Amino acid sequence: MKTHGEGNRFAVRSSSPEEDLSGASFAGGYETVLGVTKDTVLDAVKEAFVSCLDERVFFYKHQNGFDTSNVRIAVIIQRQINSSSSGVGFSLNPINNCFDEAVINANTGLGESVVSGMVTPDEYVVNKPNLKILDKRLGTKDQAIILDPVEGTKVVEGLKSEYALKDE
């Protein structure tokens, strides 16, 4: 059984070969469009593609010594699920560079609220060899973004007093 919005909505994502290099991160520089319908997919692809020409991308490239005349971007279309929780996972702890620890930042709803910085997410530090939670902190998740059958996505009140993920 499909829940509202699931199966008929798409995420249109952009990425660049320069996006995840060891000396630079273009995270947030390129556009992602969520909750896209078949009727609006072409406009969403254009919006994602044009983001490679954004002033902030050129400024960041110039500031970090990248060739601003070489514009490269890929745009993909993915079927979007109506996630109950999502976020970002780091395969090593970005705070202490520990290879035995993974860090997960999560919120209820779609991951965009975490990726965009809209909320302070829950944070979980996990020992990778034995999968034990070493530390977890409840974030101040005032808002969440969910799929909406009419609007595509919408912002709703977050679950401030509950963790977004179960320990298991």
Side-chain angles (χ1 to χ4, degrees):
M1 180 173 113
K2 291 181 181 176
T3 59
H4 72 276
E6 191 169 338
N8 60 1
R9 294 289 178 167
F10 301 91
V12 177
R13 302 186 179 280
S14 55
S15 185
S16 169
E18 303 148 335
E19 196 165 12
D20 293 318
L21 301 174
S22 61
S25 172
F26 284 77
Y30 300 104
E31 291 299 321
T32 292
V33 186
L34 303 175
V36 176
T37 65
K38 287 181 183 178
D39 294 337
T40 60
V41 75
L42 185 57
D43 289 336
V45 168
K46 288 177 184 176
E47 183 179 341
F49 181 81
V50 163
S51 69
C52 74
L53 304 173
D54 191 278
E55 179 181 6
R56 63 192 164 150
V57 172
F58 274 89
F59 179 76
Y60 188 79
K61 280 183 165 187
H62 178 74
Q63 188 178 35
N64 287 281
F66 290 98
D67 181 2
T68 57
S69 67
N70 189 11
V71 178
R72 300 182 297 169
I73 194 165
V75 176
I76 63 165
I77 302 166
Q78 299 172 302
R79 187 168 305 279
Q80 187 167 5
I81 63 167
N82 193 17
S83 54
S84 58
S85 297
S86 53
V88 177
F90 300 90
S91 59
L92 68 88
N93 190 327
I95 303 301
N96 62 14
N97 287 327
C98 181
F99 285 88
D100 287 336
E101 295 176 1
V103 175
I104 301 164
N105 295 148
N107 191 15
T108 54
L110 306 177
E112 184 64 17
S113 66
V114 175
V115 174
S116 69
M118 172 191 228
V119 299
T120 301
D122 298 339
E123 182 174 271
Y124 306 80
V125 179
V126 180
N127 179 291
K128 292 191 301 190
N130 65 17
L131 302 179
K132 299 278 187 218
I133 296 174
L134 302 172
D135 187 31
K136 71 178 187 177
R137 283 177 254 150
L138 191 62
T140 55
K141 307 173 305 288
D142 297 338
Q143 299 174 311
I145 301 173
I146 62 169
L147 276 182
D148 182 76
V150 176
E151 300 173 39
T153 61
K154 75 176 179 182
V155 177
V156 296
E157 187 174 346
L159 299 177
K160 302 174 203 174
S161 61
E162 297 177 32
Y163 282 97
L165 303 174
K166 296 177 183 172
D167 286 356
E168 52 279 358

